[in-house]
Amino acid sequence: MSEPIVQEVIIAGMSKTVANYDYAMSELESLVEANNMHAALRIDQGLEKPNPATYFGKGKVVEIKEMAEANELNIMVINADLTPSQVRNLETETGLQIIDRTGLILEIFGNRARSKEAKLQVKIAQLQYQLPRLRTSISNRLDQQAGAAAGGGGGFTNRGAGETQLELNRRTIQDRISHAKHELKELNKDEEVRRAQRDKAGLPNVALVGYTNAGKSTTMNGLVKLFGKGEDKQVFEKDMLFATLDTSIRQLTFPDNKQLLLSDTVGFVSDLPHNLINAFRSTLSEAASADLLIQVIDYADPHYKEMMDTTEKTLKEIGVTDVPMLYAYNKADLTEASYPSQQDDQLIYAARDEKSLQVLTKMIKDKVFKDYVKTTLLIPFSDGDVVAYLNDHANILKTDYLADGTQLEVELNAVDAQRYEKYVVTPA
């Protein structure tokens, strides 16, 4: 299969309206690359506030048009969310296709969605984004976006005949949003059943969260390789933003038979569109229901503290506020820091280093298994199936064969401790 053609684009922003502007523009460039584009030209403006009609000042708009023509570029990506009229006016005056920040992220999500759930989540966000733009944008790209969203396609590329903006009236869009939400609700019911079954099993749930491309999937794959079942598949990982949008869940079983569920959630980015956060709320619910969060941080990125702030802000926005958290500073192998290095709930590590993963594992176990019960059980020989179960699912500290049964000194989770309470040996 041939490589897709990379589009050359202009990236642009307004320096005095954004904190950490250079970082924001660097992130925009990374997002552009994630969307199979290349930032061939960067344009900055230092106005105190945007022009309500064209976002940029009149002189800058003329300059943009001239520079675009001189460099034969026809797309501009802007590091801001524009009003529909700003998009229309800029497109009219420059002749460029205009993509704002939200539109860009929606394109990336549309192209990356693989599962039915992710496709529906993105489709809802796309349609909600398109709704106020039906009569204002003249961009061919937004026409394609509308057609893809209406037809159920993953991205904004023109897949099939599509529909023009004129055909996509507000009522049609709203009906499609309602239909997609209904489909998603039905899928969520199935997921709620699966989650209830996992909760019934009494296994702790640990969720990996953090900025996109911080190394969550690499960390998960390393832990699955060490402690997963033989048939467990590795999750997709690649050095790019939003490599995957689907939450993956794997069961880990440690040598002492302690078990937990590990989930890898969709990554965050600064100013993640609100519609996307709402659409992905069910996917992110794995984080909300977790017993422990591991925030994976790209320690090699000079802006990692800003990335941590973004993660904390997004978690708060989806209602995750009281879940214990470990801070895992990844990619230490790309820095001068020694690793693995642990201090309290913080770990400097490298996700591809087994020693690092062993230290992270101990930190996880110290948190999620701290309430395990140590007890002594005397199990009659007639209940050999109980002994077999405990040998497979509990941490057996000592086994003695007595005249009236098998005596086990065992470490149990709360569910099993209650289940086998009748076998507990009362101290003399």
PDB file of all heavy atoms in Angstrom, residues 10 17 30 68 78 113 115-116 129 139 181 208 221 252 258 271 310 315 319 342 349 356 364 377 404 414 425:
ATOM      1  N   ILE A  10      -0.133  25.929   5.997  1.00  0.00           N
ATOM      2  CA  ILE A  10       0.302  27.043   6.835  1.00  0.00           C
ATOM      3  C   ILE A  10      -0.252  26.801   8.237  1.00  0.00           C
ATOM      4  O   ILE A  10      -1.408  26.402   8.387  1.00  0.00           O
ATOM      5  CB  ILE A  10      -0.253  28.381   6.309  1.00  0.00           C
ATOM      6  CG1 ILE A  10       0.211  28.647   4.879  1.00  0.00           C
ATOM      7  CG2 ILE A  10       0.159  29.532   7.224  1.00  0.00           C
ATOM      8  CD1 ILE A  10      -0.517  29.806   4.217  1.00  0.00           C
ATOM      9  N   THR A  17      -2.608  36.085  22.865  1.00  0.00           N
ATOM     10  CA  THR A  17      -3.872  35.562  23.403  1.00  0.00           C
ATOM     11  C   THR A  17      -3.732  34.158  23.977  1.00  0.00           C
ATOM     12  O   THR A  17      -4.701  33.593  24.476  1.00  0.00           O
ATOM     13  CB  THR A  17      -4.952  35.536  22.308  1.00  0.00           C
ATOM     14  OG1 THR A  17      -4.543  34.637  21.271  1.00  0.00           O
ATOM     15  CG2 THR A  17      -5.172  36.924  21.712  1.00  0.00           C
ATOM     16  N   SER A  30       2.643  19.382  15.835  1.00  0.00           N
ATOM     17  CA  SER A  30       2.568  17.929  16.033  1.00  0.00           C
ATOM     18  C   SER A  30       1.197  17.390  15.643  1.00  0.00           C
ATOM     19  O   SER A  30       1.076  16.303  15.063  1.00  0.00           O
ATOM     20  CB  SER A  30       2.868  17.577  17.500  1.00  0.00           C
ATOM     21  OG  SER A  30       4.194  17.914  17.835  1.00  0.00           O
ATOM     22  N   ALA A  68       0.727  32.753   1.005  1.00  0.00           N
ATOM     23  CA  ALA A  68       0.149  31.487   0.542  1.00  0.00           C
ATOM     24  C   ALA A  68       0.324  31.344  -0.972  1.00  0.00           C
ATOM     25  O   ALA A  68       0.705  30.270  -1.467  1.00  0.00           O
ATOM     26  CB  ALA A  68      -1.323  31.406   0.919  1.00  0.00           C
ATOM     27  N   ILE A  78      -5.292  27.016  12.075  1.00  0.00           N
ATOM     28  CA  ILE A  78      -5.170  28.111  13.045  1.00  0.00           C
ATOM     29  C   ILE A  78      -5.278  27.568  14.461  1.00  0.00           C
ATOM     30  O   ILE A  78      -6.154  26.756  14.766  1.00  0.00           O
ATOM     31  CB  ILE A  78      -6.248  29.182  12.785  1.00  0.00           C
ATOM     32  CG1 ILE A  78      -6.053  29.777  11.381  1.00  0.00           C
ATOM     33  CG2 ILE A  78      -6.195  30.289  13.834  1.00  0.00           C
ATOM     34  CD1 ILE A  78      -7.149  30.724  10.963  1.00  0.00           C
ATOM     35  N   ALA A 113     -10.420   6.555  14.373  1.00  0.00           N
ATOM     36  CA  ALA A 113     -11.452   5.720  14.989  1.00  0.00           C
ATOM     37  C   ALA A 113     -11.520   4.365  14.294  1.00  0.00           C
ATOM     38  O   ALA A 113     -11.578   4.291  13.065  1.00  0.00           O
ATOM     39  CB  ALA A 113     -12.808   6.417  14.925  1.00  0.00           C
ATOM     40  N   SER A 115     -13.038   1.173  16.253  1.00  0.00           N
ATOM     41  CA  SER A 115     -14.176   0.406  16.763  1.00  0.00           C
ATOM     42  C   SER A 115     -15.478   1.134  16.451  1.00  0.00           C
ATOM     43  O   SER A 115     -15.495   2.345  16.186  1.00  0.00           O
ATOM     44  CB  SER A 115     -14.057   0.200  18.272  1.00  0.00           C
ATOM     45  OG  SER A 115     -14.247   1.435  18.948  1.00  0.00           O
ATOM     46  N   LYS A 116     -16.573   0.395  16.495  1.00  0.00           N
ATOM     47  CA  LYS A 116     -17.883   1.006  16.246  1.00  0.00           C
ATOM     48  C   LYS A 116     -18.168   2.099  17.267  1.00  0.00           C
ATOM     49  O   LYS A 116     -18.713   3.158  16.934  1.00  0.00           O
ATOM     50  CB  LYS A 116     -18.977  -0.065  16.287  1.00  0.00           C
ATOM     51  CG  LYS A 116     -20.363   0.470  15.910  1.00  0.00           C
ATOM     52  CD  LYS A 116     -21.394  -0.646  15.825  1.00  0.00           C
ATOM     53  CE  LYS A 116     -22.748  -0.077  15.410  1.00  0.00           C
ATOM     54  NZ  LYS A 116     -23.788  -1.140  15.327  1.00  0.00           N
ATOM     55  N   TYR A 129     -20.172  19.780  15.766  1.00  0.00           N
ATOM     56  CA  TYR A 129     -19.280  20.829  15.289  1.00  0.00           C
ATOM     57  C   TYR A 129     -19.806  21.427  13.986  1.00  0.00           C
ATOM     58  O   TYR A 129     -19.731  22.637  13.752  1.00  0.00           O
ATOM     59  CB  TYR A 129     -17.887  20.243  15.074  1.00  0.00           C
ATOM     60  CG  TYR A 129     -16.874  21.179  14.455  1.00  0.00           C
ATOM     61  CD1 TYR A 129     -16.201  22.111  15.237  1.00  0.00           C
ATOM     62  CD2 TYR A 129     -16.581  21.110  13.095  1.00  0.00           C
ATOM     63  CE1 TYR A 129     -15.261  22.959  14.681  1.00  0.00           C
ATOM     64  CE2 TYR A 129     -15.636  21.959  12.531  1.00  0.00           C
ATOM     65  CZ  TYR A 129     -14.979  22.878  13.326  1.00  0.00           C
ATOM     66  OH  TYR A 129     -14.044  23.706  12.765  1.00  0.00           O
ATOM     67  N   SER A 139     -15.687  26.140   2.667  1.00  0.00           N
ATOM     68  CA  SER A 139     -14.544  25.252   2.475  1.00  0.00           C
ATOM     69  C   SER A 139     -14.970  23.901   1.915  1.00  0.00           C
ATOM     70  O   SER A 139     -15.890  23.274   2.427  1.00  0.00           O
ATOM     71  CB  SER A 139     -13.847  25.036   3.820  1.00  0.00           C
ATOM     72  OG  SER A 139     -12.978  23.952   3.752  1.00  0.00           O
ATOM     73  N   LYS A 181     -26.485   8.926  18.986  1.00  0.00           N
ATOM     74  CA  LYS A 181     -26.492   8.833  20.450  1.00  0.00           C
ATOM     75  C   LYS A 181     -27.251   7.595  20.913  1.00  0.00           C
ATOM     76  O   LYS A 181     -26.859   6.952  21.891  1.00  0.00           O
ATOM     77  CB  LYS A 181     -27.114  10.098  21.064  1.00  0.00           C
ATOM     78  CG  LYS A 181     -26.191  11.308  21.035  1.00  0.00           C
ATOM     79  CD  LYS A 181     -26.825  12.499  21.740  1.00  0.00           C
ATOM     80  CE  LYS A 181     -25.849  13.658  21.854  1.00  0.00           C
ATOM     81  NZ  LYS A 181     -26.455  14.835  22.528  1.00  0.00           N
ATOM     82  N   LEU A 208      -4.460   3.532  32.998  1.00  0.00           N
ATOM     83  CA  LEU A 208      -3.377   4.390  32.534  1.00  0.00           C
ATOM     84  C   LEU A 208      -3.988   5.631  31.904  1.00  0.00           C
ATOM     85  O   LEU A 208      -4.836   5.531  31.007  1.00  0.00           O
ATOM     86  CB  LEU A 208      -2.519   3.661  31.504  1.00  0.00           C
ATOM     87  CG  LEU A 208      -1.788   2.407  31.991  1.00  0.00           C
ATOM     88  CD1 LEU A 208      -1.314   1.577  30.800  1.00  0.00           C
ATOM     89  CD2 LEU A 208      -0.602   2.776  32.873  1.00  0.00           C
ATOM     90  N   ASN A 221       1.813  -2.589  27.174  1.00  0.00           N
ATOM     91  CA  ASN A 221       2.348  -3.755  26.476  1.00  0.00           C
ATOM     92  C   ASN A 221       3.469  -4.418  27.263  1.00  0.00           C
ATOM     93  O   ASN A 221       3.590  -5.648  27.286  1.00  0.00           O
ATOM     94  CB  ASN A 221       2.847  -3.354  25.085  1.00  0.00           C
ATOM     95  CG  ASN A 221       1.714  -3.197  24.096  1.00  0.00           C
ATOM     96  OD1 ASN A 221       0.635  -3.752  24.283  1.00  0.00           O
ATOM     97  ND2 ASN A 221       1.944  -2.434  23.046  1.00  0.00           N
ATOM     98  N   LEU A 252      -4.009  -8.836  34.338  1.00  0.00           N
ATOM     99  CA  LEU A 252      -2.656  -9.199  34.746  1.00  0.00           C
ATOM    100  C   LEU A 252      -2.732 -10.167  35.921  1.00  0.00           C
ATOM    101  O   LEU A 252      -3.529  -9.974  36.846  1.00  0.00           O
ATOM    102  CB  LEU A 252      -1.860  -7.959  35.161  1.00  0.00           C
ATOM    103  CG  LEU A 252      -1.720  -6.826  34.131  1.00  0.00           C
ATOM    104  CD1 LEU A 252      -0.790  -5.736  34.666  1.00  0.00           C
ATOM    105  CD2 LEU A 252      -1.220  -7.347  32.793  1.00  0.00           C
ATOM    106  N   LYS A 258      -2.133 -12.789  42.671  1.00  0.00           N
ATOM    107  CA  LYS A 258      -2.941 -11.562  42.710  1.00  0.00           C
ATOM    108  C   LYS A 258      -3.216 -11.133  41.271  1.00  0.00           C
ATOM    109  O   LYS A 258      -2.367 -11.253  40.391  1.00  0.00           O
ATOM    110  CB  LYS A 258      -2.212 -10.452  43.474  1.00  0.00           C
ATOM    111  CG  LYS A 258      -2.065 -10.711  44.969  1.00  0.00           C
ATOM    112  CD  LYS A 258      -1.491  -9.472  45.649  1.00  0.00           C
ATOM    113  CE  LYS A 258      -1.436  -9.640  47.161  1.00  0.00           C
ATOM    114  NZ  LYS A 258      -0.343 -10.532  47.580  1.00  0.00           N
ATOM    115  N   ASP A 271      -6.708  21.804  25.515  1.00  0.00           N
ATOM    116  CA  ASP A 271      -7.903  22.326  24.851  1.00  0.00           C
ATOM    117  C   ASP A 271      -8.583  21.260  23.992  1.00  0.00           C
ATOM    118  O   ASP A 271      -9.003  21.522  22.865  1.00  0.00           O
ATOM    119  CB  ASP A 271      -7.561  23.553  23.987  1.00  0.00           C
ATOM    120  CG  ASP A 271      -6.966  24.682  24.807  1.00  0.00           C
ATOM    121  OD1 ASP A 271      -7.461  24.925  25.925  1.00  0.00           O
ATOM    122  OD2 ASP A 271      -5.989  25.305  24.344  1.00  0.00           O
ATOM    123  N   THR A 310      -2.715  19.667  31.936  1.00  0.00           N
ATOM    124  CA  THR A 310      -3.793  19.337  31.000  1.00  0.00           C
ATOM    125  C   THR A 310      -4.500  18.052  31.412  1.00  0.00           C
ATOM    126  O   THR A 310      -5.730  17.966  31.389  1.00  0.00           O
ATOM    127  CB  THR A 310      -3.228  19.188  29.567  1.00  0.00           C
ATOM    128  OG1 THR A 310      -2.768  20.460  29.125  1.00  0.00           O
ATOM    129  CG2 THR A 310      -4.281  18.664  28.612  1.00  0.00           C
ATOM    130  N   LEU A 315      -9.223  15.277  33.519  1.00  0.00           N
ATOM    131  CA  LEU A 315      -9.790  14.324  34.465  1.00  0.00           C
ATOM    132  C   LEU A 315     -10.868  14.983  35.319  1.00  0.00           C
ATOM    133  O   LEU A 315     -11.935  14.407  35.563  1.00  0.00           O
ATOM    134  CB  LEU A 315      -8.690  13.741  35.354  1.00  0.00           C
ATOM    135  CG  LEU A 315      -7.738  12.746  34.684  1.00  0.00           C
ATOM    136  CD1 LEU A 315      -6.578  12.412  35.623  1.00  0.00           C
ATOM    137  CD2 LEU A 315      -8.466  11.468  34.278  1.00  0.00           C
ATOM    138  N   GLY A 319     -15.111  14.345  35.690  1.00  0.00           N
ATOM    139  CA  GLY A 319     -15.595  13.933  37.005  1.00  0.00           C
ATOM    140  C   GLY A 319     -14.698  12.988  37.767  1.00  0.00           C
ATOM    141  O   GLY A 319     -15.128  12.349  38.727  1.00  0.00           O
ATOM    142  N   GLN A 342      12.442   5.681  42.338  1.00  0.00           N
ATOM    143  CA  GLN A 342      11.137   5.868  42.970  1.00  0.00           C
ATOM    144  C   GLN A 342      11.250   6.763  44.189  1.00  0.00           C
ATOM    145  O   GLN A 342      12.187   6.669  44.976  1.00  0.00           O
ATOM    146  CB  GLN A 342      10.547   4.525  43.403  1.00  0.00           C
ATOM    147  CG  GLN A 342       9.201   4.664  44.128  1.00  0.00           C
ATOM    148  CD  GLN A 342       8.764   3.386  44.810  1.00  0.00           C
ATOM    149  OE1 GLN A 342       9.398   2.337  44.654  1.00  0.00           O
ATOM    150  NE2 GLN A 342       7.687   3.447  45.585  1.00  0.00           N
ATOM    151  N   TYR A 349      11.092   6.329  34.999  1.00  0.00           N
ATOM    152  CA  TYR A 349      11.293   4.993  34.433  1.00  0.00           C
ATOM    153  C   TYR A 349      11.341   5.061  32.911  1.00  0.00           C
ATOM    154  O   TYR A 349      11.153   6.126  32.297  1.00  0.00           O
ATOM    155  CB  TYR A 349      10.165   4.057  34.879  1.00  0.00           C
ATOM    156  CG  TYR A 349       8.867   4.204  34.112  1.00  0.00           C
ATOM    157  CD1 TYR A 349       8.390   3.162  33.322  1.00  0.00           C
ATOM    158  CD2 TYR A 349       8.119   5.380  34.175  1.00  0.00           C
ATOM    159  CE1 TYR A 349       7.202   3.279  32.621  1.00  0.00           C
ATOM    160  CE2 TYR A 349       6.933   5.507  33.478  1.00  0.00           C
ATOM    161  CZ  TYR A 349       6.473   4.467  32.701  1.00  0.00           C
ATOM    162  OH  TYR A 349       5.301   4.592  32.001  1.00  0.00           O
ATOM    163  N   SER A 356      12.426  -1.313  35.208  1.00  0.00           N
ATOM    164  CA  SER A 356      11.496  -0.209  35.474  1.00  0.00           C
ATOM    165  C   SER A 356      10.078  -0.731  35.682  1.00  0.00           C
ATOM    166  O   SER A 356       9.357  -0.304  36.603  1.00  0.00           O
ATOM    167  CB  SER A 356      11.505   0.780  34.312  1.00  0.00           C
ATOM    168  OG  SER A 356      12.717   1.477  34.214  1.00  0.00           O
ATOM    169  N   ILE A 364       2.233  -0.472  42.088  1.00  0.00           N
ATOM    170  CA  ILE A 364       0.811  -0.735  41.838  1.00  0.00           C
ATOM    171  C   ILE A 364       0.263  -1.712  42.877  1.00  0.00           C
ATOM    172  O   ILE A 364      -0.796  -1.484  43.477  1.00  0.00           O
ATOM    173  CB  ILE A 364       0.611  -1.297  40.412  1.00  0.00           C
ATOM    174  CG1 ILE A 364       0.993  -0.264  39.360  1.00  0.00           C
ATOM    175  CG2 ILE A 364      -0.834  -1.762  40.217  1.00  0.00           C
ATOM    176  CD1 ILE A 364       1.051  -0.821  37.950  1.00  0.00           C
ATOM    177  N   LEU A 377      -7.445 -20.916  56.667  1.00  0.00           N
ATOM    178  CA  LEU A 377      -8.654 -21.659  56.325  1.00  0.00           C
ATOM    179  C   LEU A 377      -8.402 -23.151  56.522  1.00  0.00           C
ATOM    180  O   LEU A 377      -7.328 -23.662  56.213  1.00  0.00           O
ATOM    181  CB  LEU A 377      -9.048 -21.415  54.857  1.00  0.00           C
ATOM    182  CG  LEU A 377      -9.200 -19.970  54.384  1.00  0.00           C
ATOM    183  CD1 LEU A 377      -9.515 -19.941  52.890  1.00  0.00           C
ATOM    184  CD2 LEU A 377     -10.285 -19.246  55.170  1.00  0.00           C
ATOM    185  N   ASP A 404      -8.468 -33.611  59.433  1.00  0.00           N
ATOM    186  CA  ASP A 404      -9.829 -33.235  59.037  1.00  0.00           C
ATOM    187  C   ASP A 404      -9.876 -32.295  57.828  1.00  0.00           C
ATOM    188  O   ASP A 404     -10.904 -31.684  57.553  1.00  0.00           O
ATOM    189  CB  ASP A 404     -10.581 -32.607  60.216  1.00  0.00           C
ATOM    190  CG  ASP A 404      -9.758 -31.549  60.932  1.00  0.00           C
ATOM    191  OD1 ASP A 404      -8.580 -31.360  60.566  1.00  0.00           O
ATOM    192  OD2 ASP A 404     -10.290 -30.899  61.856  1.00  0.00           O
ATOM    193  N   ALA A 414     -11.144  -9.164  49.138  1.00  0.00           N
ATOM    194  CA  ALA A 414     -12.312  -9.016  50.007  1.00  0.00           C
ATOM    195  C   ALA A 414     -13.451  -9.944  49.578  1.00  0.00           C
ATOM    196  O   ALA A 414     -14.161 -10.508  50.422  1.00  0.00           O
ATOM    197  CB  ALA A 414     -12.784  -7.561  49.994  1.00  0.00           C
ATOM    198  N   VAL A 425     -10.324 -20.505  60.343  1.00  0.00           N
ATOM    199  CA  VAL A 425      -9.944 -21.127  61.605  1.00  0.00           C
ATOM    200  C   VAL A 425      -9.863 -20.047  62.678  1.00  0.00           C
ATOM    201  O   VAL A 425      -9.096 -19.080  62.547  1.00  0.00           O
ATOM    202  CB  VAL A 425      -8.599 -21.861  61.496  1.00  0.00           C
ATOM    203  CG1 VAL A 425      -8.181 -22.409  62.851  1.00  0.00           C
ATOM    204  CG2 VAL A 425      -8.692 -22.969  60.460  1.00  0.00           C
TER     205      VAL A 425
END
